[in-house]
Amino acid sequence: MSVLVTNIGELFTGDEVRAGAAVVTEGDRIAWVGDAAAAPDADERIDAGGRVVLPGFVDSHTHLMFAGDRSAEFAARMAGEPYTGGGIRTTVAATRAASNAELRASAGRLAREALRQGTTTIETKSGYGLSVDEEQRCLRLAQEITAETTFLGAHVVPAEWAHDPDGYVDLVRGDMLAAAAPHARWIDVFCDRGAFDADQARAILLAGRAAGLGLRLHANQLQHGPAVRLAVELGAASADHCTHLDDADVDALAGSDTVATLLPGAEFSTRSPYPDARRMLDAGVTVALATDCNPGSSYTSSMPFCIALAVREMGMTPAEAVRAATLGGARALRRTDVGVVAPGARADLVVLDAPSHLHLAYRPGVPLIHRVLHNGVLQ
Ligand code: NIG
Ligand code: FE
């Protein structure tokens, strides 16, 4: 079945903003994009009523496979406690205690919440199981939600391995990876203070690559360190967070295919300084925006919220922020079929109840998502 989206006030293709355009979808793909006057006929019509149409958001970094609640930890932070990542173990205990049905319900609820806010492609990670069976279980359940699954056995060293962190690294790159790899597309390591160092991260990522997984890295979130340069050295698809960078890190990213995925929800919820997106963009770094949705450092599923933060706090123009939330996320997942409105791409469209994409930052916290078309189906 074909659908003609017409009367579009502003079409944000991912690369450019067009006026007077129309879009035709055929099944789950975009078939045609061009001037409305030249639009071909279609089985059905959606009248956008002069609103903005943009690609569905690509949220390339979330942690949906968890149980429990850390709102008290959030409240303590707002009262001045620092974020250390130590609360990850609280979520590990709650996740291990949860049934499959509970995990499925909670992750499904978050994925639906994200879809209502315009997210049509979502990556999600394990990382709150931290044993062979629990990591595999979380990834199996994650596969029910998305094809973009990431094995994060190296999130932190769990309490039962605290006496032998290198033994845990061997487990992650051995039996845990073997159990996880059939259910994952990517492997990720939290390479930062209180988690894993660069040598441990390199060993785990190389094992992941040998098992056929693509590489990504939690890098330079809590302090400056070697993780961003490690991501570039290994040709990772993405270095995520990028909060504490020096000039060498920015130059390394700019000269690479590694996307800097910025997660301003984490800085918002941990009261930390925001990454300097302006500096990265000016140096030629490819930037993505994602939510980092997780119960500890960023419990938001809202890409519009992250766009507003990126504009207000990180020096991005609204157009750069929308591009980073669509095309940038697609690049971070090495996908060419999402994050754009172009013939051949997936028919994932958002209609915004606004006359211009500027409103995503101009009207923060306002539910501007009017309609979502996902795989050609109106949600
Ligand atoms: O990306 N930094 C590491 N992992 C998550 C937070 C996990 C948590 O606090 O539960 C993040 O921010
Ligand atoms: Fe994260």
Side-chain angles (χ1 to χ4, degrees):
M1 191 195 64
S2 58
V3 178
L4 168 63
V5 188
T6 182
N7 199 10
I8 298 174
E10 177 187 289
L11 177 67
F12 197 105
T13 63
D15 256 337
E16 51 165 7
V17 177
R18 291 179 64 153
V23 177
V24 177
T25 67
E26 175 75 54
D28 64 354
R29 297 281 149 176
I30 293 172
W32 182 90
V33 181
D35 286 335
D41 262 347
D43 302 326
E44 281 190 11
R45 245 167 208 261
I46 295 176
D47 183 341
R51 296 178 178 86
V52 178
V53 171
L54 56 137
F57 298 122
V58 179
D59 189 350
S60 59
H61 183 142
T62 79
H63 307 244
L64 303 188
M65 307 313 302
F66 70 87
D69 176 285
R70 280 157 59 197
S71 51
E73 181 191 315
F74 171 77
R77 273 202 307 276
M78 294 305 110
E81 288 291 318
Y83 174 77
T84 61
I88 292 171
R89 291 202 179 112
T90 308
T91 303
V92 170
T95 305
R96 288 175 177 177
S99 68
N100 287 349
E102 285 164 340
L103 283 179
R104 189 178 276 128
S106 127
R109 178 183 64 79
L110 289 167
R112 285 190 297 279
E113 186 180 281
L115 180 62
R116 281 198 301 276
Q117 294 168 94
T119 298
T120 49
T121 303
I122 197 163
E123 178 271 4
T124 204
K125 303 175 203 301
S126 65
Y128 293 116
L130 307 190
S131 70
V132 173
D133 289 351
E134 287 294 318
E135 284 293 299
Q136 187 188 52
R137 177 169 82 115
C138 288
L139 286 166
R140 274 182 194 279
L141 293 167
Q143 280 185 305
E144 296 177 11
I145 289 173
T146 181
E148 298 291 351
T149 54
T150 300
F151 168 47
L152 181 58
H155 199 182
V156 289
V157 176
E160 65 275 19
W161 282 93
H163 64 287
D164 183 12
D166 285 327
Y168 184 69
V169 169
D170 289 341
L171 177 69
V172 171
R173 64 193 182 116
D175 290 352
M176 200 185 286
L177 173 63
H183 309 287
R185 176 164 186 234
W186 304 98
I187 184 167
D188 190 346
V189 175
F190 184 19
C191 181
D192 216 313
R193 183 174 69 217
F196 297 89
D197 67 24
D199 289 340
Q200 294 169 326
R202 183 184 285 104
I204 292 165
L205 291 170
L206 289 176
R209 174 188 283 163
L213 303 183
L215 311 187
R216 31 204 338 106
L217 207 51
H218 277 71
N220 300 39
Q221 176 188 9
L222 304 178
Q223 64 180 18
H224 184 260
V228 164
R229 264 161 295 160
L230 178 63
V232 172
E233 173 200 317
L234 297 180
S238 179
D240 298 45
H241 285 286
C242 293
T243 309
H244 300 278
L245 301 188
D246 65 16
D247 289 344
D249 298 318
V250 175
D251 289 348
L253 285 166
S256 79
D257 288 334
T258 301
V259 173
T261 298
L262 310 183
L263 309 165
E267 279 73 40
F268 177 88
S269 297
T270 59
R271 270 195 197 283
S272 306
Y274 289 87
D276 189 348
R278 186 73 267 139
R279 176 185 181 204
M280 290 179 235
L281 287 163
D282 289 345
V285 175
T286 301
V287 168
L289 277 175
T291 64
D292 198 15
C293 184
N294 77 78
S297 66
S298 180
Y299 200 6
T300 180
S301 56
S302 172
M303 291 294 278
F305 175 62
C306 294
I307 289 170
L309 286 179
V311 173
R312 172 66 179 82
E313 305 288 350
M314 287 158 46
M316 296 176 81
T317 67
E320 286 169 339
V322 175
R323 186 176 199 270
T326 52
L327 195 55
R331 297 244 163 100
L333 294 173
R334 301 241 159 120
R335 296 272 298 265
T336 54
D337 61 328
V338 295
V340 289
V341 181
R346 240 170 47 186
D348 289 348
L349 300 175
V350 167
V351 183
L352 276 191
D353 211 351
S356 147
H357 69 279
L358 300 177
H359 281 228
L360 280 167
Y362 176 46
R363 306 206 63 215
V366 176
L368 294 179
I369 308 299
H370 178 68
R371 289 263 193 287
V372 179
L373 205 68
H374 183 33
N375 287 323
V377 178
L378 205 50
Q379 302 297 300

